[in-house]
Every structure is written in C-alpha cells, then in structure tokens.
Amino acid sequence: MAVSDQVTRYAALLDDAAREAREVAQFDTDNRLSLDDAYAIQSASIARRLARGERRVGVKMGFTSRAKMLQMGLSDVIWGRLTSDMQIEEGGSSLFSRYVHPRVEPEIAFVLKRELAGDVTGPEALAAVEAVAPALEIIDSRYRDFKFTLPEVIADNASSSGFVLGAWRDPKLDFGNLGLTLSLDGRVVQVGSTAALLGHPLRSLVAAARLSAAAGEPLQPGWIVMAGGATPAEWIRPGQYVSVDMEQLGSAGFHVKV
C-alpha cells in the first residue's frame, strides 16, 4: 500500500472510530510506521473534522513527564490538535457515550495573544501568553484494550478527546510549581504540581511552538495550548463530577453524563 493510501485509510479509520465511539484493532503492532507517517495520519484525521465544520483552536502536548518520555524511549514530547467540538463548558457535562474508555488528567492551559512559532525562549513564549488557567483533558484511545504503539497513539491525535478550561488568570503570576489535586465526586484521587511538566510548564509551550511550526501550523493568536498531564490519568465513569483545584489559579470541572 502506498504511503498516501495508508495515511488516508488509517485517518478515516480513526476519525470514524472517534465519531462513533467504538474501539478498533491496532494496525501497527510491528512498528513499521514512522513518526512522520503517524503525524500525517493525525493531520489527515483532523482535516476530516475541519471539513465537517469544526475549527482548530489549539494544540495539546503529551508525554511531558521526563519519566514517561524515558519509558517510551523518546527524546521529545508528542503533540496533538485541538478542535472546537472537543471543548466542554466549565461546570457543564459530557456524555460518557461519546468515548470508548475515557480517562482524565489535570493540566495547565495557555491562551495566546500573538503568534508563537519556531525556536523560542521561555521569556519569549511567556510574552506571547494572554492568560493561564487550570484545565482538564479527557484522553480516550480508540484502540482496543487501550493498547497501542507510539506511532499509533500519535496517529490517534495523541488520545486527546476533550478539554475543560477554568477561569483565565494573569500569566504574570509564578505558575512554575503550583500544587494541584484531581478529584472524582469531591474525593481527591491524585495530587501533583505544575512542575511535573518538563520541570516548568513554559517548557511545554516552547516545545509546542517548535513542533507546530515544524508542521507548518504555527501557534496562532487565540489558540489554546494544553501543557500536558500533571499527574497520572484517572479512569472516569458515568455520573461522576470531575474537578481540578490548582493553587492560585482556582478550579475547573465537568459532569460525566450518563
């Protein structure tokens, strides 16, 4: 199969699986796909969403934990694309039936006031930030039994399926090491810090600027950047209320609707 045919086929497979909330079998168990192939599949899959009327609203970063990066044999983070239909209103709800086997991670999010592209420094990245907010990301691999290779998870939009944003705050506050908790129905299930994101969340934004520009999609004004999971992910169930509380920044949450 030609590479272009392979990209089109797998993009359709994963896009249909996400739309229909059904799992699919792995297609690269022997690791033949390159990371470039995987990102091409992701891009083509997102293009199908945009053709249906969704809008690009930003990017999400993955494997931002040094330990996870080493575990996966990576020297760099991975990333995915955010679209308008992925956003869940803060305090609102999302149908459990939209997902296959969803989990949630607490994160910190940035919104940009100007384009940010290429190799930038931390201060340059911060200067492009309009505001920061506590956030939650729903990750939901479409692969059966949540098993996948690295190229497969990249092709599947780095498992990104939904996100919730809390109130936006002034980026001038020091958000490099903010304590946070992830709770299910008011019970704390994870405790962490924003420092888990590459030592400082700004490093995740710097990586986002570099990787998105290399793909010909530089970060745009108004775009959201989800900086990566600050704790291990937790499974979510129908009927739950999921929330993050972050030192100085406040909280964000949503209901998992039956």
Side-chain angles (χ1 to χ4, degrees):
M1 186 189 305
V3 171
S4 58
D5 293 339
Q6 186 181 59
V7 166
T8 301
R9 176 186 169 190
Y10 291 149
L13 175 74
L14 292 170
D15 178 52
D16 289 344
R19 276 193 307 123
E20 298 163 12
R22 59 178 174 81
E23 59 184 15
V24 295
Q26 290 182 255
F27 50 74
D28 188 43
T29 53
D30 52 3
N31 274 293
R32 291 188 178 181
L33 282 177
S34 69
L35 296 191
D36 285 344
D37 293 337
Y39 279 113
I41 294 166
Q42 180 193 126
S43 178
S45 180
I46 295 298
R48 289 168 59 95
R49 299 189 197 183
L50 302 183
R52 292 195 296 269
E54 296 183 40
R55 294 176 293 104
R56 270 297 298 280
V57 296
V59 303
K60 64 81 45 114
M61 306 305 291
F63 296 165
T64 48
S65 152
R66 296 289 188 194
K68 187 68 174 178
M69 215 183 290
L70 289 171
Q71 178 189 337
M72 297 299 293
L74 288 171
S75 58
D76 206 351
V77 295
I78 65 172
W79 66 290
R81 279 106 167 157
L82 300 178
T83 70
S84 52
D85 281 16
M86 294 168 67
Q87 184 166 4
I88 302 160
E89 193 68 28
E90 200 285 316
S93 62
S94 184
L95 283 170
F96 185 79
S97 59
R98 286 187 60 182
Y99 311 105
V100 182
H101 24 47
R103 300 193 294 173
V104 66
E105 296 176 338
E107 307 203 5
I108 188 169
F110 302 97
V111 64
L112 302 181
K113 60 185 176 183
R114 64 173 70 112
E115 181 177 293
L116 185 63
D119 294 322
V120 298
T121 64
E124 287 170 339
L126 182 59
V129 175
E130 177 73 26
V132 295
L136 293 162
E137 183 182 13
I138 299 172
I139 56 174
D140 181 35
S141 169
R142 264 56 69 165
Y143 300 107
R144 191 169 297 140
D145 300 324
F146 219 100
K147 293 180 179 176
F148 43 75
T149 64
L150 177 59
E152 286 172 336
V153 69
I154 290 172
D156 191 26
N157 200 31
S159 296
S160 191
S161 300
F163 64 95
V164 180
L165 303 171
W168 293 109
R169 306 292 185 191
D170 191 330
K172 292 187 180 69
L173 64 84
D174 183 0
F175 52 82
N177 186 19
L178 300 180
L180 59 90
T181 58
L182 174 67
S183 299
L184 300 177
D185 292 328
R187 179 176 62 88
V188 174
V189 292
Q190 293 286 347
V191 177
S193 165
T194 56
L197 307 173
L198 302 177
H200 195 295
L202 265 183
R203 292 182 183 136
S204 184
L205 181 57
V206 166
R210 172 173 51 81
L211 294 170
S212 59
E217 302 172 14
L219 301 178
Q220 296 298 304
W223 273 18
I224 296 152
V225 177
M226 300 284 286
T231 73
E234 285 284 334
W235 297 101
I236 54 177
R237 303 282 182 262
Q240 288 179 327
Y241 180 70
V242 184
S243 59
V244 58
D245 286 279
M246 191 174 291
E247 184 183 2
Q248 297 188 58
L249 290 189
S251 62
F254 72 101
H255 297 271
V256 185
K257 200 170 179 180
V258 179

